[in-house]
């Protein structure tokens, strides 16, 4: 059984998750120490800031430096590359969107906006992305349940999958709200959403079997492994 961290910000200087190569190395140490086998690097992609080609170049440069730095200290972690893509209306028409999928797969991690109401057009954009053949995983639905629960339910009913941040499951009250989504099979991924080197996030991730039950945890890990079956991996 692979332990998969589906959502992390560990590439040096690509976003605010890691300010340096040294910080990224410490993040990898945390992951190895707490039993993470496979991690997806999902650096923030903001459509009002980034162009796809420039973003990909930045990611590739960061990975090259990380691989070189890690060459003398193998930790037994496999890395695959994706993005946390902030949704905007009509993003389904954006050139290069498929390049933001987890490499080797048709799976894309979408972050829903929190500053605006989710319009019919915004929901339709997600639906159109799925109709184009991409598998949409909604990032950290734990953040949206209170204000956007109806929107989450609508997107999941359309075929989107859900990712939950591990630290949210440490709270009994938040966990109680999220368990129906887990037990219904909508949750296909867990993630630390690691920014910086806070060990608490990985302690929480390590304890999820107890929090949500071993059967639920294993089911989610299996779904993540299936989504990443064709992914391109880098050994670190």
């Amino acid at each position: 059984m692979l332990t998969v961290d589906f959502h992390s910000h560990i590439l040096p200087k690509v976003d605010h998750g890691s300010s340096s190569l040294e910080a990224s190395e410490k993040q990898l140490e945390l992951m190895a120490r707490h039993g993470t086998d496979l991690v997806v690097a999902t650096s923030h992609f903001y459509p009002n800031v980034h162009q796809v080609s420039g973003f990909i170049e930045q990611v590739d440069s960061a990975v090259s430096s990380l691989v070189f730095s890690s060459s003398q200290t193998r930790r037994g972690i496999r890395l695959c590359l994706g993005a946390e893509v902030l949704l905007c209306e009509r993003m389904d028409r954006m050139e290069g969107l498929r390049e933001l999928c987890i490499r080797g797969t048709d799976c894309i991690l979408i972050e829903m906006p929190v500053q605006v109401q989710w319009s019919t057009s915004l929901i339709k954009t997600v639906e159109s992305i799925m109709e184009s053949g991409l598998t949409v995983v909604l990032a950290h639905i734990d953040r949206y349940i209170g204000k956007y629960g109806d929107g989450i339910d609508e997107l999941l009913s359309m075929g989107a999958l859900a990712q939950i941040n591990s630290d949210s499951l440490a709270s009994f009250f938040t966990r109680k709200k999220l368990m129906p989504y887990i037990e219904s099979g909508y949750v296909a991924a867990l993630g630390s959403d690691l920014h910086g080197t806070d060990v608490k996030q990985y302690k929480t991730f390590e304890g999820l079997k107890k929090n949500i039950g071993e059967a639920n945890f294993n089911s989610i890990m299996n779904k993540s492994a299936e989504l990443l079956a064709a992914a391109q991996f880098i050994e670190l």
Side-chain angles (χ1 to χ4, degrees):
M1 175 68 63
L2 290 176
T3 299
V4 181
D5 184 341
F6 208 90
H7 184 167
S8 71
H9 299 269
I10 62 168
L11 298 183
K13 299 183 180 180
V14 178
D15 62 14
H16 55 282
S18 173
S19 60
S20 66
L21 188 57
E22 292 74 20
S24 294
E25 290 284 1
K26 290 180 180 178
Q27 290 173 317
L28 289 172
E29 288 172 11
L30 278 178
M31 292 176 175
R33 191 184 314 151
H34 293 287
T36 302
D37 301 302
L38 174 60
V39 60
V40 186
T42 51
S43 303
H44 287 288
F45 178 90
Y46 299 123
N48 61 326
V49 174
H50 298 108
Q51 292 185 336
V52 173
S53 59
F55 177 81
I56 297 298
E57 288 176 5
Q58 190 178 9
V59 167
D60 286 344
S61 177
V63 171
S64 294
S65 65
L66 189 57
V67 169
F68 180 80
S69 175
S70 301
S71 61
Q72 302 302 315
T73 312
R74 294 296 182 189
R75 297 181 174 85
I77 293 176
R78 285 188 287 172
L79 171 72
C80 46
L81 304 174
E84 181 181 6
V85 182
L86 181 63
L87 187 75
C88 64
E89 290 187 13
R90 294 183 292 279
M91 178 173 271
D92 53 311
R93 305 175 190 177
M94 187 180 79
E95 185 176 351
L97 180 64
R98 189 172 289 270
E99 295 181 57
L100 299 175
C101 289
I102 298 170
R103 296 190 191 182
T105 79
D106 62 2
C107 182
I108 188 167
L109 185 69
I110 293 290
E111 179 181 25
M112 298 297 291
V114 295
Q115 292 84 10
V116 298
Q117 291 298 317
W118 295 359
S119 64
T120 301
S121 178
L122 198 67
I123 298 293
K124 179 62 179 176
T125 297
V126 180
E127 184 178 22
S128 295
I129 291 172
M130 290 189 287
E131 288 174 348
S132 75
L134 300 188
T135 299
V136 168
V137 178
L138 301 172
H140 43 58
I141 67 163
D142 41 284
R143 294 186 183 177
Y144 308 131
I145 297 303
K147 186 176 181 181
Y148 302 104
D150 290 344
I152 287 293
D153 291 344
E154 184 176 358
L155 291 170
L156 294 176
S157 71
M158 290 177 178
L161 301 172
Q163 177 259 314
I164 291 177
N165 280 2
S166 56
D167 58 354
S168 69
L169 293 167
S171 162
F172 171 79
F173 295 104
T174 305
R175 187 165 68 247
K176 185 176 180 180
K177 294 178 182 178
L178 292 169
M179 283 305 296
Y181 294 93
I182 293 173
E183 292 169 346
S184 298
Y186 288 123
V187 180
L190 301 171
S192 63
D193 198 1
L194 185 63
H195 291 69
T197 56
D198 184 359
V199 70
K200 293 180 181 178
Q201 293 189 52
Y202 261 82
K203 284 183 177 178
T204 303
F205 194 76
E206 189 179 47
L208 285 184
K209 287 184 182 181
K210 180 179 179 181
N211 287 341
I212 66 175
E214 186 170 359
N216 286 323
F217 181 85
N218 290 345
S219 176
I220 294 170
M221 290 299 108
N222 283 331
K223 290 173 185 174
S224 293
E226 289 175 7
L227 289 173
L228 299 174
Q232 300 170 10
F233 298 110
I234 301 166
E235 302 286 344
L236 293 176

